[in-house]
Amino acid sequence: MEFTETELALIAAAKQKVQMAQRVRMGVIILLILGTLTLLAGFWSYPYAIYIAFALVVFAVALPQFGQGPKYEELLELLLEKSSSPKT
């Protein structure tokens, strides 16, 4: 499959976005573990822990749609276009 320079730039931007999302998700996991440990140790109030944990999970799941770089739909459109083009 041959890609144009614009398409290669789109793919590179998507790769950077995925790598950033993975780093942030690892940070969220670390925060959730630390929050659970502080909750169990009694340093943190129970109701606040639930709200913060829920917000962190929602943020981690929605992260790929935030920020710079192409959205999932743009990449899917590129792949569909390439797969439906006639073979040379």
mmCIF file of all heavy atoms in Angstrom, residues 25-73:
data_model
loop_
_atom_site.group_PDB
_atom_site.id
_atom_site.type_symbol
_atom_site.label_atom_id
_atom_site.label_comp_id
_atom_site.label_asym_id
_atom_site.label_seq_id
_atom_site.Cartn_x
_atom_site.Cartn_y
_atom_site.Cartn_z
ATOM 1 N N ARG A 25 -2.349 7.392 30.385
ATOM 2 C CA ARG A 25 -3.087 6.286 31.015
ATOM 3 C C ARG A 25 -2.256 5.615 32.098
ATOM 4 O O ARG A 25 -2.782 5.223 33.134
ATOM 5 C CB ARG A 25 -3.524 5.279 29.969
ATOM 6 C CG ARG A 25 -4.707 5.765 29.167
ATOM 7 C CD ARG A 25 -5.160 4.757 28.156
ATOM 8 N NE ARG A 25 -6.298 5.279 27.401
ATOM 9 C CZ ARG A 25 -6.542 4.982 26.160
ATOM 10 N NH1 ARG A 25 -5.749 4.164 25.492
ATOM 11 N NH2 ARG A 25 -7.584 5.497 25.548
ATOM 12 N N MET A 26 -0.960 5.477 31.858
ATOM 13 C CA MET A 26 -0.090 4.917 32.902
ATOM 14 C C MET A 26 -0.074 5.830 34.129
ATOM 15 O O MET A 26 -0.108 5.362 35.264
ATOM 16 C CB MET A 26 1.335 4.717 32.367
ATOM 17 C CG MET A 26 1.458 3.565 31.397
ATOM 18 S SD MET A 26 0.914 1.983 32.065
ATOM 19 C CE MET A 26 2.074 1.754 33.380
ATOM 20 N N GLY A 27 -0.050 7.135 33.893
ATOM 21 C CA GLY A 27 -0.125 8.091 34.995
ATOM 22 C C GLY A 27 -1.437 7.976 35.758
ATOM 23 O O GLY A 27 -1.461 8.054 36.988
ATOM 24 N N VAL A 28 -2.526 7.781 35.030
ATOM 25 C CA VAL A 28 -3.840 7.618 35.665
ATOM 26 C C VAL A 28 -3.860 6.355 36.520
ATOM 27 O O VAL A 28 -4.376 6.358 37.644
ATOM 28 C CB VAL A 28 -4.961 7.604 34.610
ATOM 29 C CG1 VAL A 28 -6.275 7.125 35.199
ATOM 30 C CG2 VAL A 28 -5.132 8.982 34.007
ATOM 31 N N ILE A 29 -3.286 5.274 36.014
ATOM 32 C CA ILE A 29 -3.233 4.029 36.791
ATOM 33 C C ILE A 29 -2.427 4.231 38.064
ATOM 34 O O ILE A 29 -2.841 3.798 39.144
ATOM 35 C CB ILE A 29 -2.656 2.885 35.932
ATOM 36 C CG1 ILE A 29 -3.662 2.492 34.852
ATOM 37 C CG2 ILE A 29 -2.293 1.682 36.792
ATOM 38 C CD1 ILE A 29 -3.114 1.537 33.815
ATOM 39 N N ILE A 30 -1.305 4.917 37.959
ATOM 40 C CA ILE A 30 -0.485 5.194 39.145
ATOM 41 C C ILE A 30 -1.260 6.046 40.140
ATOM 42 O O ILE A 30 -1.246 5.778 41.350
ATOM 43 C CB ILE A 30 0.840 5.857 38.736
ATOM 44 C CG1 ILE A 30 1.713 4.839 37.998
ATOM 45 C CG2 ILE A 30 1.572 6.428 39.937
ATOM 46 C CD1 ILE A 30 2.930 5.429 37.319
ATOM 47 N N LEU A 31 -1.969 7.063 39.638
ATOM 48 C CA LEU A 31 -2.780 7.904 40.535
ATOM 49 C C LEU A 31 -3.880 7.101 41.214
ATOM 50 O O LEU A 31 -4.164 7.301 42.404
ATOM 51 C CB LEU A 31 -3.385 9.073 39.764
ATOM 52 C CG LEU A 31 -2.439 10.196 39.382
ATOM 53 C CD1 LEU A 31 -3.148 11.214 38.499
ATOM 54 C CD2 LEU A 31 -1.869 10.862 40.618
ATOM 55 N N LEU A 32 -4.505 6.196 40.477
ATOM 56 C CA LEU A 32 -5.560 5.377 41.076
ATOM 57 C C LEU A 32 -4.993 4.444 42.151
ATOM 58 O O LEU A 32 -5.614 4.255 43.204
ATOM 59 C CB LEU A 32 -6.291 4.573 40.004
ATOM 60 C CG LEU A 32 -7.227 5.376 39.099
ATOM 61 C CD1 LEU A 32 -7.738 4.509 37.956
ATOM 62 C CD2 LEU A 32 -8.379 5.951 39.883
ATOM 63 N N ILE A 33 -3.826 3.885 41.904
ATOM 64 C CA ILE A 33 -3.197 3.015 42.907
ATOM 65 C C ILE A 33 -2.814 3.820 44.143
ATOM 66 O O ILE A 33 -3.089 3.391 45.276
ATOM 67 C CB ILE A 33 -1.975 2.296 42.306
ATOM 68 C CG1 ILE A 33 -2.435 1.262 41.274
ATOM 69 C CG2 ILE A 33 -1.125 1.636 43.390
ATOM 70 C CD1 ILE A 33 -1.309 0.656 40.461
ATOM 71 N N LEU A 34 -2.193 4.990 43.942
ATOM 72 C CA LEU A 34 -1.835 5.831 45.083
ATOM 73 C C LEU A 34 -3.075 6.293 45.842
ATOM 74 O O LEU A 34 -3.081 6.336 47.076
ATOM 75 C CB LEU A 34 -1.021 7.038 44.613
ATOM 76 C CG LEU A 34 0.398 6.756 44.139
ATOM 77 C CD1 LEU A 34 1.027 8.017 43.572
ATOM 78 C CD2 LEU A 34 1.238 6.185 45.263
ATOM 79 N N GLY A 35 -4.126 6.641 45.115
ATOM 80 C CA GLY A 35 -5.367 7.053 45.760
ATOM 81 C C GLY A 35 -5.978 5.931 46.582
ATOM 82 O O GLY A 35 -6.478 6.155 47.691
ATOM 83 N N THR A 36 -5.933 4.706 46.050
ATOM 84 C CA THR A 36 -6.461 3.564 46.785
ATOM 85 C C THR A 36 -5.654 3.311 48.048
ATOM 86 O O THR A 36 -6.221 3.046 49.119
ATOM 87 C CB THR A 36 -6.445 2.305 45.889
ATOM 88 O OG1 THR A 36 -7.227 2.579 44.723
ATOM 89 C CG2 THR A 36 -7.023 1.107 46.616
ATOM 90 N N LEU A 37 -4.340 3.417 47.932
ATOM 91 C CA LEU A 37 -3.488 3.216 49.115
ATOM 92 C C LEU A 37 -3.728 4.283 50.179
ATOM 93 O O LEU A 37 -3.803 3.966 51.370
ATOM 94 C CB LEU A 37 -2.012 3.180 48.702
ATOM 95 C CG LEU A 37 -1.579 1.979 47.864
ATOM 96 C CD1 LEU A 37 -0.136 2.141 47.419
ATOM 97 C CD2 LEU A 37 -1.772 0.696 48.637
ATOM 98 N N THR A 38 -3.862 5.550 49.776
ATOM 99 C CA THR A 38 -4.132 6.600 50.761
ATOM 100 C C THR A 38 -5.526 6.448 51.363
ATOM 101 O O THR A 38 -5.732 6.766 52.531
ATOM 102 C CB THR A 38 -3.980 8.000 50.145
ATOM 103 O OG1 THR A 38 -4.858 8.119 49.024
ATOM 104 C CG2 THR A 38 -2.555 8.260 49.734
ATOM 105 N N LEU A 39 -6.467 5.949 50.572
ATOM 106 C CA LEU A 39 -7.812 5.700 51.088
ATOM 107 C C LEU A 39 -7.788 4.599 52.140
ATOM 108 O O LEU A 39 -8.389 4.730 53.210
ATOM 109 C CB LEU A 39 -8.748 5.329 49.943
ATOM 110 C CG LEU A 39 -10.206 5.053 50.305
ATOM 111 C CD1 LEU A 39 -10.868 6.327 50.797
ATOM 112 C CD2 LEU A 39 -10.950 4.505 49.115
ATOM 113 N N LEU A 40 -7.072 3.528 51.835
ATOM 114 C CA LEU A 40 -6.976 2.420 52.781
ATOM 115 C C LEU A 40 -6.198 2.806 54.039
ATOM 116 O O LEU A 40 -6.462 2.285 55.117
ATOM 117 C CB LEU A 40 -6.328 1.207 52.111
ATOM 118 C CG LEU A 40 -7.150 0.556 51.001
ATOM 119 C CD1 LEU A 40 -6.336 -0.530 50.312
ATOM 120 C CD2 LEU A 40 -8.450 0.002 51.544
ATOM 121 N N ALA A 41 -5.244 3.718 53.903
ATOM 122 C CA ALA A 41 -4.464 4.164 55.052
ATOM 123 C C ALA A 41 -5.224 5.184 55.898
ATOM 124 O O ALA A 41 -4.799 5.516 57.002
ATOM 125 C CB ALA A 41 -3.142 4.760 54.586
ATOM 126 N N GLY A 42 -6.340 5.674 55.396
ATOM 127 C CA GLY A 42 -7.157 6.607 56.169
ATOM 128 C C GLY A 42 -6.778 8.063 55.992
ATOM 129 O O GLY A 42 -7.222 8.918 56.752
ATOM 130 N N PHE A 43 -5.975 8.378 54.996
ATOM 131 C CA PHE A 43 -5.569 9.762 54.762
ATOM 132 C C PHE A 43 -6.544 10.537 53.897
ATOM 133 O O PHE A 43 -6.414 11.742 53.723
ATOM 134 C CB PHE A 43 -4.190 9.809 54.080
ATOM 135 C CG PHE A 43 -3.086 9.285 54.940
ATOM 136 C CD1 PHE A 43 -2.303 8.238 54.482
ATOM 137 C CD2 PHE A 43 -2.823 9.813 56.187
ATOM 138 C CE1 PHE A 43 -1.280 7.742 55.257
ATOM 139 C CE2 PHE A 43 -1.804 9.319 56.969
ATOM 140 C CZ PHE A 43 -1.029 8.284 56.508
ATOM 141 N N TRP A 44 -7.533 9.842 53.342
ATOM 142 C CA TRP A 44 -8.412 10.452 52.364
ATOM 143 C C TRP A 44 -9.856 10.127 52.684
ATOM 144 O O TRP A 44 -10.174 9.041 53.139
ATOM 145 C CB TRP A 44 -8.052 9.887 51.006
ATOM 146 C CG TRP A 44 -8.302 10.793 49.854
ATOM 147 C CD1 TRP A 44 -8.635 12.098 49.873
ATOM 148 C CD2 TRP A 44 -8.236 10.414 48.481
ATOM 149 N NE1 TRP A 44 -8.774 12.573 48.608
ATOM 150 C CE2 TRP A 44 -8.523 11.562 47.729
ATOM 151 C CE3 TRP A 44 -7.954 9.233 47.823
ATOM 152 C CZ2 TRP A 44 -8.555 11.560 46.354
ATOM 153 C CZ3 TRP A 44 -7.977 9.236 46.440
ATOM 154 C CH2 TRP A 44 -8.273 10.385 45.720
ATOM 155 N N SER A 45 -10.758 11.065 52.384
ATOM 156 C CA SER A 45 -12.175 10.881 52.643
ATOM 157 C C SER A 45 -12.793 9.994 51.555
ATOM 158 O O SER A 45 -12.510 10.156 50.374
ATOM 159 C CB SER A 45 -12.874 12.234 52.669
ATOM 160 O OG SER A 45 -14.257 12.062 52.805
ATOM 161 N N TYR A 46 -13.634 9.084 51.936
ATOM 162 C CA TYR A 46 -14.215 8.089 51.026
ATOM 163 C C TYR A 46 -15.036 8.684 49.888
ATOM 164 O O TYR A 46 -14.828 8.311 48.739
ATOM 165 C CB TYR A 46 -15.038 7.097 51.852
ATOM 166 C CG TYR A 46 -15.714 6.026 51.059
ATOM 167 C CD1 TYR A 46 -14.980 5.024 50.453
ATOM 168 C CD2 TYR A 46 -17.095 6.016 50.903
ATOM 169 C CE1 TYR A 46 -15.579 4.027 49.712
ATOM 170 C CE2 TYR A 46 -17.711 5.028 50.166
ATOM 171 C CZ TYR A 46 -16.955 4.040 49.580
ATOM 172 O OH TYR A 46 -17.556 3.058 48.854
ATOM 173 N N PRO A 47 -15.983 9.625 50.109
ATOM 174 C CA PRO A 47 -16.804 10.119 48.986
ATOM 175 C C PRO A 47 -15.971 10.813 47.907
ATOM 176 O O PRO A 47 -16.225 10.645 46.726
ATOM 177 C CB PRO A 47 -17.765 11.112 49.627
ATOM 178 C CG PRO A 47 -17.798 10.756 51.052
ATOM 179 C CD PRO A 47 -16.453 10.177 51.374
ATOM 180 N N TYR A 48 -14.956 11.564 48.310
ATOM 181 C CA TYR A 48 -14.137 12.258 47.324
ATOM 182 C C TYR A 48 -13.351 11.277 46.466
ATOM 183 O O TYR A 48 -13.127 11.511 45.282
ATOM 184 C CB TYR A 48 -13.183 13.245 48.003
ATOM 185 C CG TYR A 48 -13.902 14.368 48.694
ATOM 186 C CD1 TYR A 48 -13.807 14.548 50.064
ATOM 187 C CD2 TYR A 48 -14.695 15.256 47.966
ATOM 188 C CE1 TYR A 48 -14.475 15.571 50.701
ATOM 189 C CE2 TYR A 48 -15.379 16.285 48.597
ATOM 190 C CZ TYR A 48 -15.256 16.440 49.961
ATOM 191 O OH TYR A 48 -15.917 17.452 50.583
ATOM 192 N N ALA A 49 -12.935 10.185 47.036
ATOM 193 C CA ALA A 49 -12.161 9.188 46.291
ATOM 194 C C ALA A 49 -12.986 8.604 45.150
ATOM 195 O O ALA A 49 -12.464 8.379 44.049
ATOM 196 C CB ALA A 49 -11.698 8.079 47.231
ATOM 197 N N ILE A 50 -14.249 8.366 45.378
ATOM 198 C CA ILE A 50 -15.112 7.801 44.333
ATOM 199 C C ILE A 50 -15.259 8.778 43.173
ATOM 200 O O ILE A 50 -15.133 8.397 42.005
ATOM 201 C CB ILE A 50 -16.491 7.436 44.916
ATOM 202 C CG1 ILE A 50 -16.345 6.290 45.905
ATOM 203 C CG2 ILE A 50 -17.464 7.067 43.809
ATOM 204 C CD1 ILE A 50 -17.594 5.977 46.675
ATOM 205 N N TYR A 51 -15.496 10.046 43.467
ATOM 206 C CA TYR A 51 -15.670 11.042 42.412
ATOM 207 C C TYR A 51 -14.394 11.237 41.603
ATOM 208 O O TYR A 51 -14.426 11.307 40.375
ATOM 209 C CB TYR A 51 -16.122 12.379 43.000
ATOM 210 C CG TYR A 51 -17.450 12.308 43.694
ATOM 211 C CD1 TYR A 51 -17.628 12.864 44.952
ATOM 212 C CD2 TYR A 51 -18.545 11.674 43.105
ATOM 213 C CE1 TYR A 51 -18.846 12.804 45.603
ATOM 214 C CE2 TYR A 51 -19.770 11.604 43.753
ATOM 215 C CZ TYR A 51 -19.912 12.172 44.999
ATOM 216 O OH TYR A 51 -21.107 12.106 45.627
ATOM 217 N N ILE A 52 -13.278 11.314 42.272
ATOM 218 C CA ILE A 52 -12.005 11.519 41.580
ATOM 219 C C ILE A 52 -11.643 10.294 40.750
ATOM 220 O O ILE A 52 -11.183 10.415 39.609
ATOM 221 C CB ILE A 52 -10.896 11.883 42.584
ATOM 222 C CG1 ILE A 52 -11.186 13.266 43.156
ATOM 223 C CG2 ILE A 52 -9.528 11.843 41.933
ATOM 224 C CD1 ILE A 52 -10.274 13.686 44.286
ATOM 225 N N ALA A 53 -11.846 9.096 41.291
ATOM 226 C CA ALA A 53 -11.532 7.877 40.544
ATOM 227 C C ALA A 53 -12.406 7.773 39.292
ATOM 228 O O ALA A 53 -11.914 7.422 38.216
ATOM 229 C CB ALA A 53 -11.721 6.652 41.429
ATOM 230 N N PHE A 54 -13.676 8.091 39.423
ATOM 231 C CA PHE A 54 -14.562 8.047 38.258
ATOM 232 C C PHE A 54 -14.128 9.056 37.200
ATOM 233 O O PHE A 54 -14.093 8.739 36.005
ATOM 234 C CB PHE A 54 -16.012 8.320 38.686
ATOM 235 C CG PHE A 54 -16.984 8.271 37.548
ATOM 236 C CD1 PHE A 54 -17.354 7.057 36.983
ATOM 237 C CD2 PHE A 54 -17.514 9.435 37.020
ATOM 238 C CE1 PHE A 54 -18.240 7.004 35.916
ATOM 239 C CE2 PHE A 54 -18.401 9.393 35.962
ATOM 240 C CZ PHE A 54 -18.769 8.175 35.411
ATOM 241 N N ALA A 55 -13.781 10.261 37.613
ATOM 242 C CA ALA A 55 -13.332 11.289 36.669
ATOM 243 C C ALA A 55 -12.041 10.864 35.968
ATOM 244 O O ALA A 55 -11.883 11.086 34.758
ATOM 245 C CB ALA A 55 -13.126 12.609 37.400
ATOM 246 N N LEU A 56 -11.127 10.243 36.681
ATOM 247 C CA LEU A 56 -9.878 9.785 36.072
ATOM 248 C C LEU A 56 -10.124 8.699 35.025
ATOM 249 O O LEU A 56 -9.504 8.681 33.968
ATOM 250 C CB LEU A 56 -8.918 9.271 37.146
ATOM 251 C CG LEU A 56 -8.205 10.338 37.974
ATOM 252 C CD1 LEU A 56 -7.434 9.687 39.108
ATOM 253 C CD2 LEU A 56 -7.289 11.166 37.104
ATOM 254 N N VAL A 57 -11.027 7.791 35.326
ATOM 255 C CA VAL A 57 -11.332 6.719 34.370
ATOM 256 C C VAL A 57 -11.996 7.289 33.113
ATOM 257 O O VAL A 57 -11.624 6.920 31.990
ATOM 258 C CB VAL A 57 -12.215 5.638 35.024
ATOM 259 C CG1 VAL A 57 -12.757 4.669 33.996
ATOM 260 C CG2 VAL A 57 -11.439 4.904 36.103
ATOM 261 N N VAL A 58 -12.939 8.189 33.280
ATOM 262 C CA VAL A 58 -13.599 8.807 32.119
ATOM 263 C C VAL A 58 -12.571 9.563 31.280
ATOM 264 O O VAL A 58 -12.555 9.475 30.047
ATOM 265 C CB VAL A 58 -14.744 9.737 32.567
ATOM 266 C CG1 VAL A 58 -15.251 10.595 31.417
ATOM 267 C CG2 VAL A 58 -15.870 8.913 33.162
ATOM 268 N N PHE A 59 -11.676 10.294 31.936
ATOM 269 C CA PHE A 59 -10.640 11.032 31.224
ATOM 270 C C PHE A 59 -9.728 10.089 30.443
ATOM 271 O O PHE A 59 -9.408 10.331 29.280
ATOM 272 C CB PHE A 59 -9.816 11.864 32.213
ATOM 273 C CG PHE A 59 -8.655 12.567 31.584
ATOM 274 C CD1 PHE A 59 -8.856 13.653 30.761
ATOM 275 C CD2 PHE A 59 -7.359 12.125 31.805
ATOM 276 C CE1 PHE A 59 -7.786 14.306 30.167
ATOM 277 C CE2 PHE A 59 -6.288 12.773 31.224
ATOM 278 C CZ PHE A 59 -6.499 13.861 30.405
ATOM 279 N N ALA A 60 -9.308 8.990 31.046
ATOM 280 C CA ALA A 60 -8.408 8.043 30.386
ATOM 281 C C ALA A 60 -9.067 7.376 29.181
ATOM 282 O O ALA A 60 -8.419 7.144 28.162
ATOM 283 C CB ALA A 60 -7.936 6.988 31.376
ATOM 284 N N VAL A 61 -10.345 7.101 29.279
ATOM 285 C CA VAL A 61 -11.057 6.455 28.167
ATOM 286 C C VAL A 61 -11.257 7.440 27.014
ATOM 287 O O VAL A 61 -11.092 7.087 25.838
ATOM 288 C CB VAL A 61 -12.409 5.886 28.640
ATOM 289 C CG1 VAL A 61 -13.271 5.468 27.475
ATOM 290 C CG2 VAL A 61 -12.177 4.724 29.585
ATOM 291 N N ALA A 62 -11.576 8.683 27.317
ATOM 292 C CA ALA A 62 -11.855 9.677 26.281
ATOM 293 C C ALA A 62 -10.599 10.361 25.753
ATOM 294 O O ALA A 62 -10.669 11.097 24.770
ATOM 295 C CB ALA A 62 -12.805 10.743 26.834
ATOM 296 N N LEU A 63 -9.453 10.102 26.347
ATOM 297 C CA LEU A 63 -8.222 10.803 26.015
ATOM 298 C C LEU A 63 -7.861 10.810 24.534
ATOM 299 O O LEU A 63 -7.435 11.843 24.022
ATOM 300 C CB LEU A 63 -7.067 10.225 26.838
ATOM 301 C CG LEU A 63 -5.730 10.915 26.692
ATOM 302 C CD1 LEU A 63 -5.833 12.345 27.214
ATOM 303 C CD2 LEU A 63 -4.667 10.164 27.449
ATOM 304 N N PRO A 64 -7.983 9.723 23.795
ATOM 305 C CA PRO A 64 -7.575 9.778 22.392
ATOM 306 C C PRO A 64 -8.345 10.798 21.544
ATOM 307 O O PRO A 64 -7.882 11.177 20.483
ATOM 308 C CB PRO A 64 -7.842 8.356 21.882
ATOM 309 C CG PRO A 64 -7.744 7.507 23.084
ATOM 310 C CD PRO A 64 -8.300 8.355 24.198
ATOM 311 N N GLN A 65 -9.497 11.241 21.979
ATOM 312 C CA GLN A 65 -10.266 12.222 21.209
ATOM 313 C C GLN A 65 -9.900 13.663 21.560
ATOM 314 O O GLN A 65 -10.373 14.583 20.923
ATOM 315 C CB GLN A 65 -11.765 12.010 21.420
ATOM 316 C CG GLN A 65 -12.264 10.697 20.874
ATOM 317 C CD GLN A 65 -12.054 10.562 19.369
ATOM 318 O OE1 GLN A 65 -12.243 11.502 18.615
ATOM 319 N NE2 GLN A 65 -11.640 9.394 18.945
ATOM 320 N N PHE A 66 -9.037 13.850 22.575
ATOM 321 C CA PHE A 66 -8.633 15.193 22.983
ATOM 322 C C PHE A 66 -7.306 15.563 22.331
ATOM 323 O O PHE A 66 -6.536 14.711 21.933
ATOM 324 C CB PHE A 66 -8.448 15.279 24.503
ATOM 325 C CG PHE A 66 -9.684 14.972 25.294
ATOM 326 C CD1 PHE A 66 -9.592 14.297 26.494
ATOM 327 C CD2 PHE A 66 -10.930 15.347 24.857
ATOM 328 C CE1 PHE A 66 -10.704 14.018 27.240
ATOM 329 C CE2 PHE A 66 -12.069 15.064 25.598
ATOM 330 C CZ PHE A 66 -11.946 14.406 26.792
ATOM 331 N N GLY A 67 -7.006 16.831 22.253
ATOM 332 C CA GLY A 67 -5.686 17.288 21.863
ATOM 333 C C GLY A 67 -5.415 17.279 20.376
ATOM 334 O O GLY A 67 -6.306 17.131 19.545
ATOM 335 N N GLN A 68 -4.133 17.467 20.073
ATOM 336 C CA GLN A 68 -3.668 17.548 18.692
ATOM 337 C C GLN A 68 -3.647 16.174 18.051
ATOM 338 O O GLN A 68 -3.542 15.170 18.728
ATOM 339 C CB GLN A 68 -2.252 18.139 18.665
ATOM 340 C CG GLN A 68 -2.163 19.548 19.199
ATOM 341 C CD GLN A 68 -2.879 20.543 18.320
ATOM 342 O OE1 GLN A 68 -2.909 20.391 17.105
ATOM 343 N NE2 GLN A 68 -3.458 21.564 18.910
ATOM 344 N N GLY A 69 -3.706 16.163 16.749
ATOM 345 C CA GLY A 69 -3.607 14.909 16.012
ATOM 346 C C GLY A 69 -4.941 14.498 15.428
ATOM 347 O O GLY A 69 -5.994 15.036 15.770
ATOM 348 N N PRO A 70 -4.883 13.515 14.537
ATOM 349 C CA PRO A 70 -6.106 13.078 13.861
ATOM 350 C C PRO A 70 -7.021 12.281 14.777
ATOM 351 O O PRO A 70 -6.573 11.639 15.719
ATOM 352 C CB PRO A 70 -5.585 12.195 12.724
ATOM 353 C CG PRO A 70 -4.283 11.680 13.225
ATOM 354 C CD PRO A 70 -3.715 12.784 14.079
ATOM 355 N N LYS A 71 -8.263 12.341 14.490
ATOM 356 C CA LYS A 71 -9.246 11.570 15.228
ATOM 357 C C LYS A 71 -9.360 10.184 14.605
ATOM 358 O O LYS A 71 -8.932 9.943 13.488
ATOM 359 C CB LYS A 71 -10.619 12.259 15.195
ATOM 360 C CG LYS A 71 -10.602 13.686 15.701
ATOM 361 C CD LYS A 71 -10.352 13.752 17.184
ATOM 362 C CE LYS A 71 -10.445 15.162 17.706
ATOM 363 N NZ LYS A 71 -9.202 15.705 18.170
ATOM 364 N N TYR A 72 -9.968 9.272 15.311
ATOM 365 C CA TYR A 72 -10.143 7.895 14.846
ATOM 366 C C TYR A 72 -10.866 7.867 13.505
ATOM 367 O O TYR A 72 -10.522 7.103 12.617
ATOM 368 C CB TYR A 72 -10.925 7.113 15.908
ATOM 369 C CG TYR A 72 -11.310 5.724 15.478
ATOM 370 C CD1 TYR A 72 -10.389 4.691 15.492
ATOM 371 C CD2 TYR A 72 -12.605 5.449 15.052
ATOM 372 C CE1 TYR A 72 -10.747 3.410 15.085
ATOM 373 C CE2 TYR A 72 -12.970 4.178 14.648
ATOM 374 C CZ TYR A 72 -12.033 3.158 14.674
ATOM 375 O OH TYR A 72 -12.383 1.910 14.271
ATOM 376 N N GLU A 73 -11.860 8.727 13.353
ATOM 377 C CA GLU A 73 -12.661 8.733 12.136
ATOM 378 C C GLU A 73 -11.814 9.092 10.912
ATOM 379 O O GLU A 73 -12.009 8.551 9.831
ATOM 380 C CB GLU A 73 -13.832 9.711 12.264
ATOM 381 C CG GLU A 73 -14.883 9.296 13.270
ATOM 382 C CD GLU A 73 -14.505 9.627 14.706
ATOM 383 O OE1 GLU A 73 -13.544 10.394 14.940
ATOM 384 O OE2 GLU A 73 -15.157 9.094 15.609
#
